[in-house]
Amino acid sequence: MKTAEQYFQELAACLGGLTDAERGSVLDYYREYAAEAGLDDYDRLVSHFGPPQGFAEQLTGELAAHRPASAPAADDTVRTGIRGLLDSLFAGGSAGQTPPRQGGQTLEPFSGVDIHVVSADVRFEEGETFALRYCLPAREYIERCEVTGGILHFVTRAGRGGTGGSVHLHFGSVNINLNTAEYAVIVTIPRGAQLGDFSVATVSGNCKLCDRTVAGLRFSSTSGDLTLTCVDCDAASFTTVSGDVSVHTLGCDTLTAGTTSGEIRLEDVSANRIDCRTVSGDVRFDGDADRFRAKTVSGDCECLGSTAVSAEWETVSGDLDIRTAGGAAIAASSVSGEIGLDGAGMGRRLARPGGAPALTLRSTSGDITIATQ
């Protein structure tokens, strides 16, 4: 049996189009993600991310989209490429599977949610009873739908020859979104329900959760976006490749968020500890945290919030724009970028003693701008 390390070795060999910094950050991030998710052998990693070569192509393509665009492909090349992708995506059937693709039902009461879907969006809404309704693409079918042990399990799979129906094609400057309907899984929960852990995983589907208190919250996706509004929980973990993470008014103990090229936006967030990591995605934080850490390769970082104990921001080529308390201790360094403090140039290194919070800023070529309040 092949090991997880063999998977990452093959993935590294297929990431030749990335810079050394990008490749190292991608591998570090997904090794940590795999360890946390229990993906401890080659087969589990293939089941979750796909074969190393295909996953590498997706990551390389997403990162390339954030670099200056090259000259558009010729029209004939675009048409030929689109035709070939359409043929490969929609050829073949779903091996005789004919389960319903849309429907609805009242459910037994549940406290936890475990949803794994392909391209359908996932939304939660308030209602009189526990209920579920769904509309799935033609080549996405239900593998499991039941409430057991107080947990709602809803799992879909893509049939042969398709990825579920939500398809995005990129050729040169052409971006085509082929969505033929609003595909969604909508879960209805009564207002007074006591809720435990929520786990949602998608390939390209988005997820929205509003006005809820849950014990734990976990979201993972390849290209789907996550939107949270007015949510309280003990622990939250968000992971995407190219999807954005947008959080508005969240209270939690610990929050971890990681993307490859998606943005992380945290507004009115209160937590004891926050940890954000991206490769090329931007990070924006506006809220309160005891301890905060953000690390990117080329993404820009903006901090409008406050930390009580410490804050650490690190980037290779992205810019850092930070606001902090006037008496904070600051340690900032940049190899080739410029450091500015309240409008004054400070050169490449700044060490200012002070009280809490302790602010540590590191950059290779990005500029660092600090404003004290």
Side-chain angles (χ1 to χ4, degrees):
M1 178 182 293
K2 288 187 176 181
T3 64
E5 185 55 33
Q6 286 176 291
Y7 181 94
F8 287 112
Q9 289 174 357
E10 293 180 22
L11 180 63
C14 297
L15 291 173
L18 303 186
T19 65
D20 290 342
E22 289 173 336
R23 187 185 307 109
S25 184
V26 166
L27 293 171
D28 288 346
Y29 174 72
Y30 283 104
R31 278 193 173 99
E32 291 181 12
Y33 174 83
E36 181 180 338
L39 306 175
D40 53 4
D41 63 37
Y42 190 96
D43 291 340
R44 286 191 176 94
L45 288 165
V46 169
S47 177
H48 193 82
F49 294 120
Q53 182 175 357
F55 190 39
E57 291 173 355
Q58 180 180 10
L59 293 171
T60 302
E62 293 293 349
L63 291 170
H66 288 257
R67 302 190 184 101
S70 57
D75 289 344
D76 288 344
T77 303
V78 171
R79 285 192 293 269
T80 302
I82 291 176
R83 184 71 267 158
L85 269 185
L86 289 175
D87 290 343
S88 64
L89 284 170
F90 298 107
S94 42
Q97 295 151 350
T98 58
R101 296 188 296 106
Q102 55 184 327
Q105 63 188 95
T106 300
L107 301 174
E108 297 177 7
F110 55 84
S111 60
V113 171
D114 183 21
I115 296 178
H116 291 250
V117 299
V118 182
S119 58
D121 294 342
V122 179
R123 300 199 300 270
F124 300 89
E125 63 181 29
E126 183 179 343
E128 296 298 324
T129 61
F130 291 89
L132 170 74
R133 63 185 189 273
Y134 57 88
C135 178
L136 302 177
R139 301 192 182 280
E140 185 171 351
Y141 64 93
I142 298 174
E143 183 175 83
R144 184 182 185 188
C145 178
E146 62 179 344
V147 175
T148 59
I151 307 296
L152 168 62
H153 299 277
F154 189 87
V155 180
T156 72
R157 290 287 183 265
R160 181 170 58 87
T163 59
S166 181
V167 182
H168 298 265
L169 308 180
H170 302 273
F171 291 92
S173 61
V174 179
N175 183 358
I176 297 177
N177 184 358
L178 300 177
N179 283 323
T180 58
E182 181 189 11
Y183 303 120
V185 176
I186 303 172
V187 181
T188 304
I189 304 171
R191 163 59 64 181
Q194 298 296 313
L195 302 176
D197 292 336
F198 272 42
S199 177
V200 177
T202 78
V203 175
S204 59
N206 304 319
C207 178
K208 291 185 179 181
L209 177 63
C210 303
D211 300 317
R212 283 291 168 186
T213 297
V214 300
L217 183 59
R218 183 183 181 91
F219 172 77
S220 62
S221 180
T222 301
S223 59
D225 298 333
L226 172 67
T227 303
L228 297 181
T229 306
C230 298
V231 174
D232 289 309
C233 63
D234 293 333
S237 175
F238 314 131
T239 305
T240 78
V241 177
S242 60
D244 295 335
V245 174
S246 300
V247 180
H248 311 274
T249 313
L250 171 71
C252 65
D253 181 44
T254 60
L255 185 156
T256 60
T259 78
T260 299
S261 58
E263 295 183 358
I264 299 174
R265 296 185 294 271
L266 309 178
E267 299 180 357
D268 191 21
V269 172
S270 178
N272 289 328
R273 184 182 299 273
I274 298 176
D275 191 339
C276 300
R277 297 189 181 190
T278 80
V279 178
S280 60
D282 298 338
V283 177
R284 186 180 191 274
F285 169 62
D286 186 358
D288 299 288
D290 288 343
R291 291 177 171 82
F292 184 93
R293 182 174 64 172
K295 182 177 181 180
T296 80
V297 177
S298 58
D300 295 333
C301 300
E302 180 181 17
C303 176
L304 305 177
S306 62
T307 53
V309 179
S310 64
E312 182 178 349
W313 297 79
E314 182 177 349
T315 182
V316 176
S317 59
D319 295 333
L320 303 181
D321 186 358
I322 309 297
R323 295 184 188 180
T324 189
I330 301 174
S333 62
S334 180
V335 176
S336 58
E338 297 295 330
I339 299 174
L341 174 63
D342 292 331
M346 307 301 294
R348 304 289 168 79
R349 190 172 295 274
L350 169 63
R352 192 188 77 170
L359 187 65
T360 303
L361 311 171
R362 290 187 291 269
S363 169
T364 300
S365 59
D367 294 335
I368 299 176
T369 302
I370 307 168
T372 60
Q373 302 170 347

